[in-house]
Amino acid sequence: MIDVLDELHWRGLVAQSTDEAALREALSNGPIAYYCGFDPTAPSLHHGHLVQLIVLSHLQRAGHRAVALVGGATGMIGDPRQSGERVLNTKETVAEWTGRLQAQISRFLDFEGDNPAVMVNNLDWIQGMSAIDFLRDVGKHYRLGTMLAKDTVARRLRSDEGISFTEFSYQILQGIDFLELFRRHGVTLQTGGNDQWGNLLSGVELVRRTEGEVVHVLTTPLITKADGTKFGKTEGGAVWLAPDMMSPYAFYQYWLNAADADVVSWLKIFTFRSREEIEDLAVAVRERPGAREAQRTLAADVTTLVHGQEATDAVIAASQALFGRGELAGLDATTLDAATAELPRVDVTVGTPVLDALVDSGLVPSRAAGRRAMADGGAYVNNVKVEAEDAVLQAQDLLHGRFVLLRRGKKTLAVAVAQ
């Protein structure tokens, strides 16, 4: 067996464990069964979940048996937040989101072959539990003082809004999951984010009290940026894994824009590159920072992991084509729309003078400046140099019948959208 715990440490993926020496021995004597839970409280997983999915994959690649849990039951309750009660989603919404998350998770684990992963939904064992069963068989093993002492619960109790019994009970439901998976699949390890430490321990204690067995928890640290700003923060919120919530192009650009101070640690965390490859890329960052080899490797690897090779190829082709190093006409409409989404936009019609489009888009400050740009050979429509001052946009200029890429010089872009 690969010493996967040492590998996770090297990659910066270990924050705490219940008993690291015992866990290391169990992993060495394995294979063991392990799980991580994902609640459908949104229609997509995000960058924080990506860390957990990669940990699951590392463990499976090391020969251990993966169980991925999507919380169709716990998703109807919601993990208590630091402040404020969650809005409870309808059963239909949670069911829909459960399906979406299951499809996303399936990309990261091998569900076939000699060591197939297992996908489960905790609604299967929680929805049939009566209130009497819950109180007699589970509730009697929990001590109120311990539950009240959990960090999030204690903070909420000190706040003006307090905490409902619904959210207070979440930690018990998560404990039930560990116990049920221990009984059904022999699971002895749960992984999760370090902010979930208290909830994860709930299952450890419940298994100990009901089965008399020792099980383990392993948490990942909160991923931060070197400059202290929050990792995964974008103008649109989280770095979502679903392409309909964050386009593959925008997703790729997020990783491509990683700072030199962050990129090596992110390569360790978010890719499966070997130590030797990452060390070579670290040298490239130090010696050839302008080439951004590490950033391009990171962006390509993570985008391929999440969206697949075909989407990554389309994104890279779009990035090159925008600046004249590829064929714009070969880009599909969705990728082109995503690639130009952050550019200045101007509405046009067939027959609009190119000079007007340049001015109205803000690429040039005035008509005189636009004429100078044309005369100097620095004005482009769809990467084709504009030679005539009186040129107009024509029907054949419309990419997918809608878009026209405008460029001044080498790097200043805008998009004209036909109405």
Side-chain angles (χ1 to χ4, degrees), residues 69-399:
L69 182 151
V70 179
T74 42
M76 287 194 280
I77 302 302
D79 182 20
R81 297 184 298 186
Q82 297 291 339
S83 63
E85 287 277 321
R86 290 183 179 272
V87 175
L88 298 182
N89 296 303
T90 66
K91 292 181 179 180
E92 292 74 20
T93 296
V94 173
E96 177 190 347
W97 291 354
T98 295
R100 284 176 59 101
L101 266 57
Q102 288 173 331
Q104 288 182 316
I105 292 168
S106 66
R107 298 188 63 90
F108 293 85
L109 298 170
D110 182 3
F111 288 87
E112 300 177 354
D114 297 333
N115 182 31
V118 176
M119 187 88 72
V120 297
N121 181 346
N122 61 15
L123 190 64
D124 292 343
W125 54 82
I126 290 178
Q127 69 176 340
M129 183 180 292
S130 71
I132 295 297
D133 291 338
F134 177 78
L135 294 173
R136 282 180 57 85
D137 299 337
V138 181
K140 67 180 180 180
H141 296 295
Y142 282 84
R143 296 298 173 264
L144 202 56
T146 303
M147 296 176 69
L148 291 169
K150 297 290 172 63
D151 182 62
T152 301
V153 172
R155 183 178 290 109
R156 287 281 294 278
L157 286 172
R158 292 194 299 268
S159 68
D160 291 337
E161 69 269 18
I163 185 171
S164 69
F165 179 75
T166 298
E167 290 195 3
F168 179 64
S169 302
Y170 180 91
Q171 58 185 286
I172 301 180
L173 297 183
Q174 189 160 336
I176 293 172
D177 288 344
F178 205 160
L179 175 60
E180 197 66 31
L181 293 178
F182 175 84
R183 290 171 173 171
R184 293 184 179 213
H185 298 284
V187 168
T188 57
L189 169 65
Q190 182 180 187
T191 64
N194 205 41
D195 59 337
Q196 290 288 307
W197 180 254
N199 286 335
L200 302 182
L201 291 181
S202 172
V204 172
E205 184 65 11
L206 184 58
V207 172
R208 185 188 68 80
R209 286 178 174 271
T210 58
E211 306 296 310
E213 297 286 346
V214 174
V215 292
H216 305 282
V217 160
L218 179 73
T219 64
T220 58
L222 176 67
I223 311 301
T224 57
K225 290 185 177 181
D227 64 4
T229 59
K230 187 174 181 180
F231 167 75
K233 192 67 174 176
T234 71
E235 289 185 7
V239 179
W240 298 107
L241 307 192
D244 59 344
M245 295 181 66
M246 185 176 195
S247 72
Y249 184 87
F251 186 85
Y252 178 91
Q253 292 297 321
Y254 176 83
W255 302 99
L256 186 64
N257 290 326
D260 288 347
D262 294 316
V263 67
V264 174
S265 65
W266 290 6
L267 281 163
K268 292 179 180 180
I269 293 168
F270 294 104
T271 80
F272 295 92
R273 295 276 169 173
S274 67
R275 296 190 185 200
E276 293 75 18
E277 289 174 308
I278 292 175
E279 286 164 1
D280 287 345
L281 289 166
V283 171
V285 172
R286 292 194 300 270
E287 297 182 355
R288 303 180 299 278
R292 297 185 71 76
E293 295 170 48
Q295 282 86 348
R296 286 186 284 108
T297 300
L298 173 69
D301 280 11
V302 182
T303 305
T304 300
L305 182 66
V306 174
H307 295 294
Q309 188 64 56
E310 184 177 343
T312 302
D313 291 343
V315 163
I316 293 173
S319 300
Q320 294 173 341
L322 288 187
F323 297 98
R325 298 190 300 276
E327 183 53 56
L328 281 169
L331 303 179
D332 64 85
T334 300
T335 300
L336 183 60
D337 191 23
T340 59
E342 302 301 320
L343 298 178
R345 292 198 165 203
V346 59
D347 293 337
V348 296
T349 59
V350 172
T352 295
V354 173
L355 185 58
D356 290 351
L358 291 171
V359 174
D360 293 343
S361 67
L363 287 184
V364 295
S366 65
R367 295 175 65 84
R371 293 189 187 95
R372 287 194 298 272
M374 290 180 176
D376 294 340
Y380 299 82
V381 169
N382 295 337
N383 292 330
V384 177
K385 191 178 297 183
V386 180
E387 304 284 358
E389 184 180 303
D390 60 352
V392 299
L393 297 177
Q394 302 180 43
Q396 58 264 35
D397 294 324
L398 303 181
L399 301 170

